[in-house]
Amino acid sequence: MALESDLEAGDGTFDQALSNALAAVVASEWPGEEHDRKGRVRSAAQLLDVIEERIPPVGGVCVIPEPEEDRVRGEAHHAMFGDGPYEPWDVRIDAAVLRDGIARTQAVRHARGPGGLERRHVDALFALDEHRSLRCLDSERGDRHWAGAREEDRRSQALALAVLEQIGDEEAARRSANVNQYEGYHPKHSPEGYDFQECPVCGYETLQVTAIDDYGVGIGRGRCIVCTYERNGTVVDDLASAWMFENRWADD
């Protein structure tokens, strides 16, 4: 994941991630082939040899088809909920690009040249995550996005508290009393707008809602007119899913 946003995160990072991913793929497809005769896990280059021997590359790419049982389930699910043709979850192993990436990182690590990873090397590495033995990057991306949104929310709350301290109770009450001058829901003038909701920081019903959660619970995202606290969409959906679990799913 470090390589996703920073290609210079480290050649060793690429080598380690590639070696572990290829070992997982080979161990899943051809158990035991991930080890050499001495019982050691093969290097990334050797693991690519195993893959290319089992699946001869076409244009430098080896394709592992989606398992038949997974394809049947996927097609059935797609027929019920999908749009357009079903796209098989085949795994494309761009052996040529991965070998070039190995050569570049080894050159740097062993002082044989400048090396230098490119986006195509990292993309080829990410493509391995399509294999059923891995499939972890989407979850990691989700965790990082959630953590970033929570940190953003903490900063917004801290700023809102500072604003409240600066303007004082009298000004906060005045802003709350004048909330109707801001555009919100109005049956005639703004029928598409939302009612104001209670701000979790200042406690006034002055959170100007711009959208509600994806679950339809009714928790709004937006900014508070009084203290400037802003609630982002990720926090909104997190609150809504917690409400759903507590009030609906928990009963099941």
Side-chain angles (χ1 to χ4, degrees):
M1 290 306 301
L3 290 167
E4 185 169 51
S5 57
D6 183 8
L7 289 178
E8 298 181 358
D11 299 298
T13 301
F14 177 86
D15 285 347
Q16 184 177 10
L18 178 59
S19 296
N20 280 280
L22 290 175
V25 170
V26 171
S28 175
E29 296 291 331
W30 309 285
E33 292 296 311
E34 73 276 14
H35 296 107
D36 61 19
R37 293 180 179 178
K38 295 183 178 180
R40 298 173 300 191
V41 176
R42 299 179 190 270
S43 68
Q46 292 170 334
L47 290 166
L48 285 173
D49 289 339
V50 173
I51 294 172
E52 289 180 313
E53 181 180 346
R54 299 283 185 159
I55 305 175
V58 176
V61 178
C62 303
V63 178
I64 300 178
E66 180 180 24
E68 182 63 27
E69 61 272 21
D70 291 351
R71 187 186 300 267
V72 171
R73 284 195 297 268
E75 289 176 342
H77 183 274
H78 188 78
M80 184 176 297
F81 302 104
D83 242 353
Y86 175 71
E87 296 293 337
W89 206 340
D90 297 338
V91 182
R92 294 175 55 84
I93 302 176
D94 198 330
V97 170
L98 291 174
R99 285 189 188 281
D100 184 65
I102 293 171
R104 291 178 181 237
T105 58
Q106 292 300 309
V108 173
R109 297 178 68 187
H110 298 287
R112 295 197 299 264
L117 288 173
E118 298 175 0
R119 174 52 55 184
R120 62 193 179 100
H121 301 118
V122 177
D123 288 344
L125 172 63
F126 286 169
L128 299 177
D129 195 57
E130 296 291 326
H131 194 270
R132 57 181 175 175
S133 65
L134 298 169
R135 296 180 184 175
C136 59
L137 290 182
D138 284 345
S139 176
E140 179 64 20
R141 288 189 184 98
D143 288 346
R144 291 187 178 216
H145 175 74
W146 183 86
R150 295 299 297 180
E151 179 58 32
E152 178 185 322
D153 187 68
R154 282 191 288 269
R155 289 196 298 268
S156 185
Q157 290 194 38
L159 176 60
L161 289 171
V163 168
L164 285 174
E165 184 176 355
Q166 182 178 26
I167 66 176
D169 293 341
E170 186 176 338
E171 173 61 16
R174 186 193 70 79
R175 293 185 183 186
S176 174
N178 293 327
V179 70
N180 288 331
Q181 68 179 295
Y182 298 95
E183 184 178 0
Y185 171 76
H186 189 282
K188 179 179 178 181
H189 303 296
S190 183
E192 300 301 323
Y194 298 95
D195 289 327
F196 287 94
Q197 295 186 1
E198 181 178 311
C199 172
V201 177
C202 67
Y204 288 107
E205 198 167 309
T206 51
L207 187 74
Q208 190 175 25
V209 176
T210 57
I212 61 172
D213 63 275
D214 290 339
Y215 296 90
V217 173
I219 300 175
R221 65 176 296 177
R223 183 183 295 274
C224 178
I225 300 301
V226 171
C227 67
T228 75
Y229 165 70
E230 184 172 11
R231 188 159 60 189
N232 63 58
T234 300
V235 169
V236 164
D237 286 340
D238 185 45
L239 291 170
S241 64
W243 185 94
M244 291 283 288
F245 179 81
E246 182 177 348
N247 292 276
R248 296 182 183 177
W249 300 331
D251 294 337
D252 297 335

